[in-house]
């Protein structure tokens, strides 16, 4: 297969996207830190790295023992050490920087090598001492990671203050180079406009919510007026984590968050299954077992563990869940002195649990509505009126809701002007406006 050749413009664009992604990650992910790669001891990757590691030092020894000795590899090693040391220095440490530059002047060392004036015994001793003290590289690496993370922690407030303007300006630079950079975003928003403009049946909002403002959240109604930008974006954001669009291309304005949103989508799917399992299980336990937080936590742990591979093996996963959960309820009722499940009830419980993943249920609708309320009304108000049937997953759903809302609001602030222009063209395309002009 022919290698992919990138143009200079594409390389520059990739570099800009990389810089933008790092700044964006620091802003939206409060837990972001840089880690050193830790490979499992017995993994193929670890063994490969170890072989390459030993081969390098064997090669270096051979070069230094040659007649005449070859110092090319040693010079490269010294240069790497120098770069690590220099990266650890603070801006004001000029004197130490000058000392390192003088002691490890790579141009001078290369010239001495070329003219045969290199102090071979001194340099050999220096390199071999480095080899003997090899642990210093690990220490330097850890120090470097600490310094990087310290820097990230200190610049985060500055980035938060200026991130919206920075990300918007950088994206505008990319858009200037690639005018079609918003094509997928336009398709995504067009679908959202269609969704909010299409009235849903009244049955789409379950009537079994807890009382309060959330239960009276109005069903969408046809509106003669064009939808607002906020309404369209909220629908578009929800579509990203609640709907399956096959292999449709992702909106360019959210590419940096694609993996994050896909993870949220997967977690929502698992939370839907978890809440559904607990809701069905509670109906067969007479409510007594579910008054014990320990019992609920046990069922949650069982369900989470058995549904890890739900995406690839849904039927097998739910079969395992149904068998294990029904056994826990059966045994729990016996242990508390209550009547254990009859064969008929146990078969019914297993059947209902196995059918959870086969069709949409009220739990899915409640989670969808909760996320929509989080976007529109904010997290605080939405958490005060949590939907019925979701109380057992409130901590997990609340955590995911906070992350989703914060991410989408940041995206809205950054790309709002671009979205406004796109929506304007969707509702009133330029060519239609030109046709309406008097001749």
């Amino acid at each position: 297969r022919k290698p992919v050749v990138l143009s200079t413009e594409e390389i520059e664009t990739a570099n800009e996207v990389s810089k933008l992604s790092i700044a964006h990650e620091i802003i939206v992910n409060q837990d972001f830190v840089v880690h050193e790669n830790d490979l499992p001891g017995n993994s193929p990757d670890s063994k490969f790295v170890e072989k390459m590691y030993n081969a390098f030092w064997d090669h270096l020894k051979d070069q230094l023992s040659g007649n005449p000795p070859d110092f090319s590899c040693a010079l490269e090693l010294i240069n790497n050490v120098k770069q690590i040391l220099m990266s650890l220095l603070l801006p004001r440490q000029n004197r130490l920087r000058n000392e390192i530059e003088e002691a490890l002047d790579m141009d001078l060392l290369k010239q001495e090598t070329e003219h045969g004036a290199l102090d071979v015994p001194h340099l050999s001793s220096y390199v071999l001492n480095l080899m003997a003290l090899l642990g210093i590289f690990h220490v330097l690496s850890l120090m470097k990671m600490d310094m990087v993370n310290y820097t990230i922690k200190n610049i985060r407030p500055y980035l938060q203050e200026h991130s919206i303007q920075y990300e918007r300006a950088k994206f505008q630079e990319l858009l200037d180079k690639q005018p079609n950079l918003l094509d997928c975003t336009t398709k995504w928003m067009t679908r959202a406009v269609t969704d909010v403009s299409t009235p849903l049946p009244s049955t789409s909002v379950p009537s079994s919510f807890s009382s309060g403002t959330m239960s009276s959240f109005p069903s969408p109604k046809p509106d003669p007026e064009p939808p607002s930008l906020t309404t369209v974006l909220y629908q578009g954001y929800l579509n990203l984590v609640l709907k399956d669009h096959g292999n449709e291309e992702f909106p360019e304005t959210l590419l940096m968050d694609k993996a994050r949103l896909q993870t949220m989508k997967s977690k929502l799917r698992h939370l839907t299954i978890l809440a559904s399992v607990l809701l069905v299980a509670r109906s067969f336990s007479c409510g007594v077992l579910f008054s014990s937080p320990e019992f609920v936590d046990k069922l949650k742990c069982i369900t989470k563990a058995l549904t890890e591979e739900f995406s690839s093996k849904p039927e097998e996963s739910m079969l395992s869940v149904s068998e294990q959960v029904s056994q826990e309820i059966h045994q729990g009722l016996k242990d508390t002195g209550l009547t254990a499940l009859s064969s008929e009830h146990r078969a019914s419980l297993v059947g209902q649990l196995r059918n959870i993943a086969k069709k949409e249920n009220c739990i899915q609708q409640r989670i969808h509505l909760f996320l929509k309320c989080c976007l529109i009304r904010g997290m605080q108000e939405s958490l005060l009126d949590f939907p019925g049937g979701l109380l057992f997953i409130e901590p997990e759903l609340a955590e995911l809701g906070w992350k989703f809302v914060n991410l989408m609001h940041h995206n809205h602030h950054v790309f709002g002007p671009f979205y406004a222009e796109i929506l304007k063209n969707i509702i009133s395309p330029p060519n239609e406006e030109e046709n309406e002009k008097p001749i």
Side-chain angles (χ1 to χ4, degrees):
R1 196 165 66 178
K2 292 183 178 180
V4 178
V5 179
L6 298 178
S7 66
T8 302
E9 182 177 296
E10 288 173 324
I11 294 175
E12 291 176 353
T13 299
N15 289 335
E16 289 301 320
V17 170
S18 178
K19 294 176 186 177
L20 185 58
S21 297
I22 294 172
H24 180 78
E25 186 68 24
I26 294 173
I27 292 300
V28 301
N29 182 4
Q30 296 298 310
D31 300 322
F32 175 76
V33 292
V34 179
H35 294 285
E36 184 185 24
N37 269 342
D38 292 322
L39 299 173
N42 296 322
S43 70
D45 288 341
S46 178
K47 293 178 181 178
F48 174 78
V49 169
E50 184 179 356
K51 289 181 180 179
M52 295 299 294
Y53 176 89
N54 292 331
F56 169 79
W57 290 109
D58 289 340
H59 176 61
L60 180 58
K61 289 179 183 178
D62 291 339
Q63 283 191 333
L64 295 177
S65 302
N67 188 17
D70 181 356
F71 291 95
S72 57
C73 195
L75 290 175
E76 182 179 351
L77 175 62
I78 294 173
N79 188 47
N80 288 336
V81 175
K82 176 184 176 181
Q83 295 305 318
I84 293 176
L85 289 171
M86 297 295 280
S87 70
L88 294 173
L89 298 179
L90 297 173
R92 63 177 179 273
Q93 294 178 301
N94 295 320
R95 183 178 60 81
L96 185 54
R97 179 177 288 101
N98 293 334
E99 287 181 7
I100 295 175
E101 284 286 3
E102 183 178 352
L104 300 176
D105 187 336
M106 300 312 300
D107 290 335
L108 178 59
L109 291 176
K110 289 177 183 178
Q111 290 176 15
E112 291 177 348
T113 301
E114 293 170 358
H115 293 88
L118 191 65
D119 188 345
V120 176
H122 173 74
L123 189 56
S124 297
S125 176
Y126 180 75
V127 173
L128 291 174
N129 284 335
L130 283 178
M131 294 169 61
L133 299 173
L134 190 58
I136 191 65
F137 287 101
H138 181 63
V139 174
L140 286 175
S141 181
L142 292 178
M143 290 173 62
K144 187 175 182 180
M145 291 301 98
D146 288 342
M147 183 62 72
V148 168
N149 290 319
Y150 175 79
T151 303
I152 289 173
K153 180 180 178 180
N154 280 274
I155 67 172
R156 180 175 278 123
Y158 175 83
L159 285 177
Q160 287 175 331
E161 182 179 353
H162 301 280
S163 62
I164 293 175
Q165 292 80 5
Y166 174 76
E167 289 189 44
R168 187 184 298 162
K170 285 296 180 183
F171 190 84
Q172 182 64 60
E173 291 177 11
L174 296 175
L175 186 60
D176 292 340
K177 297 176 182 178
Q178 302 180 47
N180 62 342
L181 190 59
L182 288 171
D183 287 357
C184 293
T185 303
T186 301
K187 294 177 182 178
W188 167 66
M189 289 187 64
T190 301
R191 286 193 298 270
V193 169
T194 302
D195 289 342
V196 298
S197 302
T198 304
L200 298 176
S202 57
T203 55
S204 63
V205 180
S207 59
S208 54
F209 284 106
S210 59
S211 59
T213 55
M214 187 173 290
S215 59
S216 60
F217 192 80
S219 301
K221 296 180 180 179
D223 192 340
E225 296 295 324
S228 69
L229 176 61
T230 300
T231 300
V232 171
L233 289 178
Y234 284 174
Q235 183 63 49
Y237 293 147
L238 289 169
N239 286 347
L240 292 173
V241 294
L242 300 179
K243 290 188 176 183
D244 292 318
H245 295 294
N247 294 321
E248 291 184 15
E249 294 183 59
F250 214 76
E252 297 88 348
T253 52
L254 281 153
L255 277 177
M256 290 185 293
D257 297 307
K258 183 176 182 179
R260 204 185 325 271
L261 287 167
Q262 288 176 334
T263 299
M264 289 182 183
K265 185 174 182 177
S266 177
K267 286 185 178 180
L268 280 174
R269 180 62 169 164
H270 282 86
L271 286 178
T272 300
I273 298 299
L274 177 60
S276 301
V277 168
L278 295 175
L279 193 62
V280 171
R282 185 179 62 176
S283 67
F284 280 84
S285 68
C286 304
V288 177
L289 298 179
F290 274 70
S291 62
S292 166
E294 291 79 12
F295 182 81
V296 175
D297 288 341
K298 186 177 183 179
L299 289 191
K300 290 174 73 172
C301 289
I302 290 172
T303 304
K304 288 178 181 178
L306 295 177
T307 55
E308 285 183 355
E309 298 183 4
F310 178 84
S311 299
S312 58
K313 302 176 180 178
E315 294 184 4
E316 293 179 25
S317 296
M318 293 313 300
L319 175 59
S320 299
V321 169
S322 63
E323 292 176 347
Q324 187 66 33
V325 169
S326 63
Q327 174 59 31
E328 292 294 334
I329 291 177
H330 180 78
Q331 189 61 44
L333 291 173
K334 287 179 61 178
D335 292 344
T336 54
L338 299 173
T339 303
L341 292 176
S342 65
S343 299
E344 183 180 353
H345 283 163
R346 192 164 180 173
S348 177
L349 171 58
V350 170
Q352 289 189 39
L353 290 173
R354 292 184 65 180
N355 286 330
I356 283 175
K358 294 183 178 180
K359 58 182 179 179
E360 185 172 341
N361 55 52
C362 66
I363 293 297
Q364 287 174 283
Q365 297 174 38
R366 294 176 189 185
I367 289 179
H368 295 185
L369 182 57
F370 171 73
L371 288 179
K372 186 171 185 178
C373 287
C374 290
L375 284 171
I376 295 175
R377 295 176 174 164
M379 286 297 301
Q380 296 289 359
E381 185 175 342
S382 300
L383 290 174
L384 290 175
D385 189 28
F386 212 73
L390 302 182
L391 292 177
F392 292 121
I393 62 166
E394 181 175 1
E396 296 92 342
L397 188 57
E399 180 184 2
L400 191 148
W402 278 108
K403 292 180 179 179
F404 177 69
V405 170
N406 289 337
L407 182 62
M408 296 303 96
H409 282 172
H410 178 76
N411 179 271
H412 192 167
H413 287 310
V414 172
F415 298 103
F418 302 103
Y419 291 145
E421 188 64 25
I422 291 173
L423 182 61
K424 177 182 176 182
N425 292 332
I426 292 174
I427 295 175
S428 182
N431 59 338
E432 293 183 5
E433 294 178 348
E434 291 175 3
N435 293 336
E436 292 174 359
K437 292 180 180 179
I439 302 176

